[in-house]
Amino acid sequence: MSNANPLNAPDADVLAIAAEAASDIARLTGVEHHDIAVTLGSGWGQAADLIGRTVAEVPATEITGFSRPAAEGHVGTLRSVVTPRGKNVLVIGARTHYYEGKHVRHVVHSVRAAAATGAKVLVLTNGAGSVRPAWSPGQPVLISDHINLTGASPAQGAKFIDLTDLYSVRLRDVARSIDPSLPEGVYVQFPGPHYETPAEVRYAKIIGGDLVGMSTALEAIAARQAGLEVLGISLVTNLAAGVKTTPLSHQEVLEAGRQAEPIIGALLARVIGSL
């Protein structure tokens, strides 16, 4: 693989590049096929150690189309893990965010690569601000739907994708069989990288949002386009601006994630182990 990212080409064949990435993953991990993929967001890093036995872990930069993550809190590797029930899980710790200024094809490349490895289920996790005062930092929330406020889509041309049941009811039921107390809500993706203003948070609430963040929606759309079944889980890392009156900071987000990691990591591992 050359140092130049092939996704930078204006006429990039995104599916061919995803297939090449899948070939790299198979070669570097020694695992030809993955059943499940999981993208780890802020606060979810410890889950990879609990899902099962690690077969291999490789730097994302060694895989076609991937780059080093820009956000602190992302490990920058892809890991192949086998669950106690024998399922191969691709753990993606190298998320590209839309606010990095790259084309959407970069943001969703990991999803397309996961599909090319053979995965049929994608678990998307994130750290999010809560619009609901009752959801305090450390609370995991199942994503029931999303609102995409980035103004972008991973689909190009006349490709019409049905998103009616984007976040799988079946997978949410599996998660609630592990923890019946899990609430669910609508995730609103803003472009970032700035945090939302109090007025934007009020707007998100008015249009039906419960959680705000800077990831996930674009990846979920690409997953549906690729035929993947999607489970989304947010970790509340802070109350959103205006709900919380003190200033927001990324360090606060990371600290909330660190404190919640043992609990949410165990939850995610049990959910994936049940699939």
Side-chain angles (χ1 to χ4, degrees):
M1 184 187 71
S2 67
N3 291 328
N5 192 321
L7 289 170
N8 290 332
D11 58 348
D13 184 337
V14 295
L15 296 183
I17 296 168
E20 187 175 347
S23 177
D24 290 341
I25 291 168
R27 174 175 52 82
L28 293 169
T29 64
V31 179
E32 290 294 326
H33 172 93
H34 286 87
D35 305 291
I36 301 165
V38 54
T39 297
L40 298 180
S42 297
W44 293 90
Q46 195 176 95
D49 297 325
L50 303 175
I51 292 170
R53 177 176 58 86
T54 295
V55 175
E57 185 170 15
V58 298
T61 51
E62 294 186 12
I63 300 168
T64 300
F66 281 79
S67 57
R68 189 182 307 278
E72 183 181 355
H74 295 267
V75 296
T77 64
L78 273 72
R79 187 188 301 200
S80 184
V81 176
V82 60
T83 70
R85 295 174 66 176
K87 293 289 183 69
N88 293 323
V89 181
L90 181 66
V91 181
I92 302 166
R95 179 178 249 157
T96 297
H97 293 82
Y98 186 59
Y99 58 68
E100 295 176 37
K102 298 176 181 177
H103 193 279
V104 179
R105 66 175 75 99
H106 290 266
V107 177
V108 304
H109 175 61
S110 62
V111 173
R112 289 170 171 155
T117 70
K120 299 301 182 185
V121 170
L122 174 65
V123 182
L124 294 169
T125 68
N126 61 54
S130 175
V131 176
R132 296 193 182 191
W135 291 349
S136 57
Q139 173 68 57
V141 180
L142 299 174
I143 300 175
S144 60
D145 205 345
H146 79 231
I147 299 170
N148 174 17
L149 295 183
T150 67
S153 173
Q156 294 180 298
K159 297 177 181 177
F160 306 109
I161 307 163
D162 177 34
L163 303 180
T164 303
D165 58 348
L166 175 55
Y167 296 92
S168 168
V169 173
R170 182 186 77 86
L171 294 180
R172 279 184 274 149
D173 286 345
V174 170
R176 273 192 291 264
S177 73
I178 303 298
D179 182 355
S181 71
L182 284 172
E184 65 179 37
V186 176
Y187 179 88
V188 184
Q189 180 174 354
F190 283 83
H194 53 274
Y195 288 109
E196 305 77 21
T197 68
E200 288 170 334
V201 171
R202 290 196 300 273
Y203 171 67
K205 181 178 181 180
I206 289 169
I207 63 175
D210 302 294
L211 302 155
V212 294
M214 307 173 194
S215 68
T216 304
L218 295 172
E219 294 160 310
I221 295 168
R224 169 50 56 88
Q225 185 179 26
L228 295 170
E229 189 178 14
V230 180
L231 174 66
I233 313 177
S234 291
L235 168 67
V236 174
T237 54
N238 58 277
L239 295 178
V243 181
K244 175 185 176 181
T245 56
T246 54
L248 304 178
S249 75
H250 190 54
Q251 289 307 312
E252 173 190 31
V253 169
L254 294 176
E255 181 57 32
R258 277 191 287 268
Q259 292 183 10
E261 262 192 323
I263 296 173
I264 61 173
L267 169 66
L268 185 60
R270 290 182 66 193
V271 170
I272 291 174
S274 299
L275 299 180

